[in-house]
Amino acid sequence: MSHFLVAGGAGYIGSNFIKYLMDTSDHEVTLLDNLSTGRSEVVESLKGRYGSRIVFLKSDLGDPEKLHPYLHKRAVDGVFHFGAFSLVGESQYDPMKYYYNNVARTLSLLKIILEHEIRHFVFSSSAAVYGIPEKTPITEEAERKPINHYGKTKAMIEEVMEALSGREDLVYASLRYFNVAGTDEEMLVGECHDPETHLIPIAVKTALGLRDHLALFGTDYPTPDGTAVRDYIHVTDLCRAHWAAFEKIRKENEPLTVNLGSARGYSVREVLETVQRVTGSRFRILEEGRRPGDPPVLIASSEKAGKELGWKAERSLEEMVTSAWDWEKKRSEDGLL
Ligand code: UFG
């Protein structure tokens, strides 16, 4: 049995990962979160289900005053770092928030864990590091050319990890997520962003009647139907890849950078058709101009993930939409929306 530090464990992907780890192993975690975007209900649900296997440490990311004393007492075998602000649009008008939290605080976290001789670090990176890719599907060798501050913060941390790797005994896995959707099968934790900006949760909320219409951003992209194309991946598949990546770097002590996507692209219209089919709701779609900073097409090459991790995305778009739909219905029935 090992004990892990999960930074940002009260957020969407961090909490799904903790649930996955609890269900598939006997490991324990320290859930580190300042609850700025993470939710206290998620911490309560996880603690309610898994009890003392989860220790909640309420703290800012990389706060030396909280983390040093904690890590003096508690042996930790690795860190999974999900704690980041992740709204592309917001990063453009409030870059300080992004550079301070996603970069400065992450550097502090790295410094602290290395001082405690914790070497294995799994980092949530993003397809946003690629910017507008020259080739599709995107391989990991493609240049990092982020076009927004959010993507730049992820690229900066990748550069720092590369600089530290080998020098400071850091062994990292940088996982470049594509478009993550859905929730755990039992719907214990789920996806709740405030404000919500992602396509699938907004579409299912609209299907539920919580919004009057869905705004479709951009119909003049150079794609078959004119709308932007993305590579969607179910959060449970993503969680499984995190564990595979951790095991790989722990065994081989070599850094790893890998895309996590399905290698299959869906246009916004295709996603909306799937949502309308799954939910049985013909909600209103209003065509609008492009959203600034949106690349036309982002599709992962998933070859490296297959080769290095023996991993591939298994769940379909329909399963992601069904999962997101079931989750929003449950929240609505529970009076939480
Ligand atoms: N979209 C709409 N209407 C909406 C919301 C989204 O048309 O109400 C469109 C967007 O313009 C985009 C597509 O749906 O073309 C997907 O948008 P999302 O906001 O769901 O996701 P993004 O592709 O913008 O970004 C997500 C993550 C980023 C990550 C990126 C990597 O939020 O952090 O995937 O692929 F960098």
Side-chain angles (χ1 to χ4, degrees):
M1 192 267 293
S2 300
H3 192 103
F4 298 106
L5 182 68
V6 182
Y12 166 44
I13 299 174
S15 60
N16 268 276
F17 175 70
I18 291 176
K19 179 167 192 306
Y20 175 84
L21 192 66
M22 294 292 110
D23 290 344
T24 56
S25 74
D26 63 353
H27 301 313
E28 295 179 347
V29 300
T30 294
L31 186 169
L32 172 78
D33 207 298
N34 64 1
L35 302 182
S36 65
T37 55
R39 296 178 304 127
S40 56
E41 309 94 85
V42 162
V43 179
E44 281 156 28
S45 302
L46 286 168
K47 281 203 60 69
R49 171 74 68 92
Y50 302 105
S52 61
R53 289 177 68 200
I54 299 174
V55 180
F56 177 43
L57 177 62
K58 186 166 186 236
S59 168
D60 287 336
L61 198 62
D63 178 349
E65 285 181 17
K66 287 256 175 71
L67 281 175
H68 276 307
Y70 188 78
L71 294 173
H72 275 303
K73 282 189 283 167
R74 162 83 63 183
V76 164
D77 302 292
V79 176
F80 293 83
H81 175 24
F82 300 92
F85 293 120
S86 60
L87 302 178
V88 169
E90 184 185 53
S91 77
Q92 295 304 92
Y93 63 77
D94 193 357
M96 177 57 104
K97 179 173 174 179
Y98 280 70
Y99 289 110
Y100 189 66
N101 186 75
N102 295 9
V103 179
R105 287 191 199 278
T106 297
L107 294 188
S108 179
L109 176 68
L110 274 170
K111 187 163 182 294
I112 294 167
I113 63 167
L114 289 170
E115 281 168 20
H116 289 268
E117 294 178 6
I118 304 165
R119 306 177 59 204
H120 295 101
F121 186 73
V122 179
F123 176 64
S124 302
S125 188
S126 168
V129 300
Y130 295 116
I132 298 178
E134 273 156 28
K135 275 193 263 161
T136 295
I138 311 170
T139 64
E140 289 79 353
E141 286 72 43
E143 211 184 320
R144 281 185 294 234
K145 276 194 197 161
I147 56 168
N148 50 58
H149 294 299
Y150 167 67
K152 285 180 191 170
T153 66
K154 296 290 178 181
M156 282 179 182
I157 296 300
E158 287 198 351
E159 283 188 35
V160 171
M161 293 191 301
E162 285 160 15
L164 297 182
S165 165
R167 237 170 234 256
E168 301 273 354
D169 261 5
L170 175 71
V171 185
Y172 69 86
S174 189
L175 307 182
R176 294 176 175 165
Y177 306 170
F178 282 65
N179 289 54
V180 187
T183 190
D184 65 291
E185 244 167 46
E186 292 175 289
M187 295 188 286
L188 185 74
V189 284
E191 177 172 18
C192 293
H193 295 114
D194 186 17
E196 186 54 80
T197 62
H198 295 102
L199 181 64
I200 292 178
I202 288 180
V204 295
K205 281 188 166 83
T206 315
L208 211 49
L210 297 168
R211 291 176 180 233
D212 168 67
H213 66 273
L214 181 134
L216 194 173
F217 301 132
T219 52
D220 60 348
Y221 284 106
T223 58
D225 68 15
T227 67
V229 171
R230 294 287 182 275
D231 181 336
Y232 294 85
I233 168 175
H234 193 291
V235 70
T236 307
D237 283 336
L238 188 85
C239 292
R240 188 163 46 84
H242 280 69
W243 184 249
F246 177 77
E247 286 202 303
K248 168 104 178 160
I249 61 168
R250 182 163 59 176
K251 188 160 150 249
E252 298 183 2
N253 283 318
E254 291 289 338
L256 173 75
T257 296
V258 71
N259 288 338
L260 296 180
S262 70
R264 165 91 164 80
Y266 289 94
S267 72
V268 174
R269 278 198 207 286
E270 285 175 307
V271 171
L272 296 178
E273 274 159 27
T274 308
V275 175
Q276 294 197 327
R277 182 161 33 79
V278 166
T279 63
S281 160
R282 306 294 303 170
F283 53 83
R284 282 209 304 154
I285 297 170
L286 298 187
E287 294 181 5
E288 294 190 9
R290 296 183 183 192
R291 191 172 65 176
D294 275 350
V297 179
L298 282 176
I299 302 173
S301 160
S302 57
E303 250 175 61
K304 187 170 177 187
K307 206 165 109 227
E308 299 283 339
L309 303 178
W311 173 92
K312 80 178 190 7
E314 284 170 359
R315 292 165 178 82
S316 65
L317 178 65
E318 184 147 337
E319 287 174 274
M320 290 175 231
V321 168
T322 305
S323 165
W325 171 235
D326 289 345
W327 167 250
E328 296 295 348
K329 275 194 303 192
K330 176 176 179 272
R331 300 250 308 153
S332 165
E333 281 156 21
D334 293 348
L336 296 171
L337 291 177

